[in-house]
Amino acid sequence: MTAPAWVQHAIWWQVYPLGFVGAPVRNWDGSSSADEHKLRGIVEWLDYAVELGASGIALGPIFASEGHGYETVDHFRVDERLGTAEDVDALIEAAHDRGMRVLLDGVFNHVGQHFPRFQEALAGDAKAASWFHFDSSGRHRNFEGHDELVMLNHDNEDVRQYVVDVMSHWLSRGADGWRLDAAYAVPTSFWASVVPLVRQSFPDAYFLGEVIHGDYGRIAADSALDSVTQYELWKAIWSAISEKNFFELSHALGRHNEWLDAFVPATFVGNHDVNRIASTITDERHLAHALVVLFTVAGTPTIYYGDEQGFRGTKEERVGGDDEVRPEFPSHKDDLAPYGWPIFHLHQGLIGLRRRHSWLHTARTEVVELSNTALAYRASAGEERIHVILNLGDDSVECRLSGPVLAGEAAVQGGHVTVPPHGWVVLG
């Protein structure tokens, strides 16, 4: 494992900056609004993130791009819809003053069509053309069918050096690590050549790859990344709870254990690319169960902004289909809806439990009892252990376990614990 020691205590609050600050994402005419310094609006929410229990802020794209942020045109320049490099400096400084880390989002699999080297390639510059993939007809390779996303040639040494330079530049300005977008689409050999070079100068930096599918363990090992995103567990959490099939979650927890020998996965129940967890789990009584799993199994947890307030939203396959899951945040926490605060306080309590048991970062999970609607598991590391019982059914669940109630609700007596219908409990 290569992750720096501070990651053991990391709990990220993920923000999609363009949406969060209300910047125009579509139909943007390219006009500058840097003087609005919208990025500094995120600074106003750092105390809220600390109050939640987060120890870091994971930013979505902040670099100059053509639209939604993932079609970057200049990795060294801040998107003018957000502000300036000085605004980034101010955000990083404010976060560090509060003891928070800052994770940047790097899109190095592809670039936007107005990326200067791509424009030079279209103009006939052969050296620039070597940064990309062109077929015999002169058509460029794109990312997953999106022509506006131009795939980089990761065998090109200039591309490799460019990524090293970009990463190093922002780490030198105080960033603490990188989330690498679409890392699954990039050859692992590319990351394996880039990350160690950057790590030479920034040994305390954290490198997280977005990996949706595949052999997580092999990808993490071959790429020299510290971690990858745990989409299998994400899917199993919401699916098992929604469909009342805890066998699916039990299977996923077994696979989760296997990867812990090589790396600690990045865990989540929501992000900028998926439906809101409060929309996916339609029975409000069971939303807590998903959060309990997130904060009691191994991993580096991330909370997607708004999930801690019970925001709802679903993705659609259309232009603007991400808008519901990437909304503008209000200007002040007093403007948040009253119904969201109980969910916020639930997050606080579970994060507090996580912090008091930091060994959970690498804990192994063992299923103790299992049915479609009830799951009991033990999370342990060395001599440390807790038990978690989740009940989705209309009847109480009784397990032969005991211990003090750390969170949730249950009756513990005579070596047995009884969890009420649709309830949950964490036992010490």
Side-chain angles (χ1 to χ4, degrees), residues 11-333:
I11 296 176
W12 299 105
W13 189 52
Q14 183 197 0
V15 169
Y16 174 70
L18 289 169
F20 188 95
V21 304
V25 175
R26 295 182 317 284
N27 302 320
W28 177 48
D29 62 7
S31 60
S32 173
S33 56
D35 57 353
E36 296 180 22
H37 305 286
K38 288 187 174 182
L39 197 61
R40 294 185 184 242
I42 298 176
V43 175
E44 303 302 316
W45 285 93
L46 292 180
D47 288 337
Y48 167 90
V50 171
E51 183 183 355
L52 174 66
S55 62
I57 182 166
L59 295 172
I62 61 170
F63 307 120
S65 69
E66 297 173 348
H68 49 61
Y70 289 96
E71 64 288 75
T72 314
V73 296
D74 189 343
H75 295 82
F76 290 101
R77 180 164 57 89
V78 175
D79 198 304
E80 292 179 342
R81 291 169 291 174
L82 296 173
T84 65
E86 289 69 31
D87 294 327
V88 176
D89 293 342
L91 174 55
I92 291 174
E93 181 179 5
H96 288 174
D97 286 346
R98 292 163 173 79
M100 300 182 75
R101 304 279 180 167
V102 178
L103 191 71
L104 298 181
D105 200 346
V107 187
F108 302 119
N109 173 65
H110 50 267
V111 294
Q113 290 211 9
H114 287 89
F115 186 73
R117 295 301 276 170
F118 184 65
Q119 289 297 309
E120 293 166 7
L122 294 180
D125 186 323
K127 185 173 183 180
S130 69
W131 280 50
F132 312 98
H133 300 273
F134 290 95
D135 61 23
S136 57
S137 67
R139 182 173 179 80
H140 68 273
R141 185 182 302 173
N142 64 38
F143 177 55
E144 296 185 345
H146 301 284
D147 213 44
E148 71 275 14
L149 305 180
V150 183
M151 288 283 289
L152 288 165
N153 176 10
H154 296 97
D155 292 328
N156 184 299
E157 180 59 36
D158 290 336
V159 171
R160 181 180 293 109
Q161 188 59 51
Y162 176 80
V163 174
V164 170
D165 291 344
V166 170
M167 286 186 177
S168 300
H169 172 78
W170 291 103
L171 290 171
S172 71
R173 294 188 81 125
D176 297 286
W178 286 93
R179 172 197 177 271
L180 304 172
D181 183 69
Y184 60 91
V186 177
T188 54
S189 58
F190 178 81
W191 300 125
S193 65
V194 166
V195 170
L197 288 176
V198 180
R199 211 189 295 274
Q200 287 177 8
S201 300
F202 302 95
D204 212 29
Y206 177 59
F207 299 90
L208 165 65
E210 181 197 19
V211 176
I212 298 176
H213 43 66
D215 185 340
Y216 292 167
R218 182 190 60 77
I219 293 171
D222 292 351
S223 64
L225 298 175
D226 294 315
S227 183
V228 301
T229 50
Q230 228 296 32
Y231 268 88
E232 279 196 24
L233 184 61
W234 160 77
K235 193 271 180 183
I237 291 173
W238 66 257
S239 179
I241 293 172
S242 295
E243 301 298 326
K244 295 185 177 180
N245 177 18
F246 271 137
F247 287 91
E248 179 181 2
L249 180 55
S250 175
H251 176 74
L253 289 173
R255 287 175 59 79
H256 192 66
N257 281 339
E258 296 172 7
W259 289 316
L260 290 170
D261 291 331
F263 72 101
V264 177
T267 52
F268 59 95
V269 294
N271 65 31
H272 63 291
D273 280 330
V274 301
N275 294 337
R276 290 278 183 179
I277 189 67
S279 293
T280 303
I281 298 177
T282 55
D283 190 331
E284 295 182 0
R285 296 172 297 180
H286 300 158
L287 177 59
H289 296 62
L291 302 176
V292 171
V293 177
L294 175 65
F295 292 113
T296 59
V297 303
T300 304
T302 295
I303 305 113
Y304 183 52
Y305 82 101
D307 279 357
E308 78 283 351
Q309 291 284 342
F311 277 24
R312 287 167 172 76
T314 55
K315 282 174 60 74
E316 297 180 13
E317 294 301 321
R318 60 174 177 81
V319 175
D322 294 317
D323 290 356
E324 277 197 13
V325 298
R326 302 177 181 181
E328 182 175 0
F329 225 51
S331 58
H332 191 274
K333 69 178 185 179

